[in-house]
Amino acid sequence: MTKTALVTGANKGIGYEIAKNLLQKGYTVLIGARDVARGEKAVASLTSFGDVHLQTIDVSKVEELPQIAREMTENYPDFSLLVNNAGIPGDMSKSAWDFSISELQETHLTDFIGPYELSRSLLPILEKNKGQILNITIPIEPVSFFHPFAYMSAKAPLNILTKTWGIEFKEQQLPIEIFALMPGGVTTDLNNNLTGPGFKTPQVAAEIAVNLITDNVNRSGQVVNFDGTIANYD
């Protein structure tokens, strides 16, 4: 049976590699990209791996997301996987008190509000097809070597969404799995291609993500570390 997935922010980095892995697993994949030219370039480079299409989407334009979800539901009735990968870090070099309100609003809109509205809008077809939602996230406990304020404060509610929706899906007996993955340090444009001990390539991070998606283990409501352990905020 064919399955269709949408990967947001899939024209480069982890999203691109997740899309490639899913194609190799037999999924039809929608490349979510806000820049048409970059999205089309990604689609062209992935065509040899399987059935891939461009889905123009900017998750920060929340007013457009319900209509996109309606069109996807009509055009791809076998849609069953949403990967909320698109995100922005904000200025990772700023002190925690130096952000303007507009900067924080922009980060929260892209990293949480947009994924919330897109996920919410796709719930009916995900329920129908017993689908999955994967949220790509980060640790939300500040430590000395990693504490980008805008980024962490915007991803924290995405982790709460994951845990809360998981509880309520179970309570309401909805056949949808939702979980989040913290891939750890990954060398991408988002961090100016930072490298160092423990950093991995987007290809490795994507392989971890797709293995979790396809291993038939239900992790609903869990925030999962790259090594498979469960994040504990207690």
Side-chain angles (χ1 to χ4, degrees):
M1 179 181 175
T2 303
K3 293 184 177 182
T4 296
L6 169 64
V7 183
T8 64
N11 58 284
K12 62 179 180 178
I14 298 174
Y16 177 91
E17 295 298 334
I18 289 174
K20 182 193 292 184
N21 271 262
L22 289 171
L23 288 166
Q24 292 171 324
K25 295 282 188 179
Y27 279 78
T28 293
V29 177
L30 309 180
I31 298 295
R34 60 183 177 178
D35 184 288
V36 173
R38 291 176 182 173
E40 289 177 341
K41 182 178 179 181
V43 168
S45 68
L46 290 169
T47 299
S48 62
F49 295 97
D51 187 18
V52 59
H53 306 270
L54 174 63
Q55 176 61 63
T56 305
I57 184 170
D58 183 343
V59 295
S60 71
K61 295 181 178 178
V62 292
E63 69 283 355
E64 297 179 358
L65 301 180
Q67 179 59 32
I68 288 173
R70 285 191 289 270
E71 292 172 357
M72 285 176 51
T73 298
E74 181 177 344
N75 295 331
Y76 302 97
D78 59 355
F79 177 80
S80 62
L81 172 63
L82 170 62
V83 180
N84 285 312
N85 169 72
I88 58 174
D91 189 336
M92 298 178 76
S93 65
K94 278 191 174 184
S95 295
W97 50 83
D98 283 337
F99 289 90
S100 68
I101 296 301
S102 62
E103 287 176 308
L104 293 178
Q105 287 174 328
E106 179 186 19
T107 311
H108 282 242
L109 192 61
T110 301
D111 292 359
F112 170 61
I113 301 297
Y116 166 83
E117 182 64 1
L118 180 59
S119 301
R120 189 170 75 96
S121 299
L122 288 167
L123 283 180
I125 190 168
L126 288 170
E127 179 182 0
K128 177 184 176 182
N129 292 333
K130 300 179 181 179
Q132 296 169 290
I133 301 170
L134 169 60
N135 296 318
I136 302 298
T137 189
I138 63 172
I140 59 170
E141 181 65 30
V143 292
S144 60
F145 59 86
F146 184 75
H147 49 88
F149 179 73
Y151 197 23
M152 296 182 82
S153 65
K155 285 291 191 179
L158 189 66
N159 293 9
I160 293 169
L161 181 154
T162 301
K163 289 174 168 286
T164 305
W165 284 25
I167 290 170
E168 296 195 5
F169 287 165
K170 183 177 181 180
E171 290 176 345
Q172 299 179 36
Q173 298 183 328
L174 299 181
I176 307 170
E177 178 190 9
I178 182 170
F179 68 101
L181 170 65
M182 298 190 295
V186 183
T187 302
T188 67
D189 289 351
L190 185 143
N191 54 30
N192 296 316
N193 296 303
L194 185 67
T195 60
F199 270 73
K200 57 186 71 67
T201 64
Q203 292 88 343
V204 170
E207 185 176 348
I208 293 169
V210 174
N211 285 342
L212 293 174
I213 289 167
T214 59
D215 68 0
N216 294 317
V217 176
N218 191 315
R219 298 180 176 84
S220 202
Q222 296 180 352
V223 179
V224 185
N225 294 304
F226 64 89
D227 60 1
T229 59
I230 307 304
N232 186 353
Y233 300 121
D234 297 335

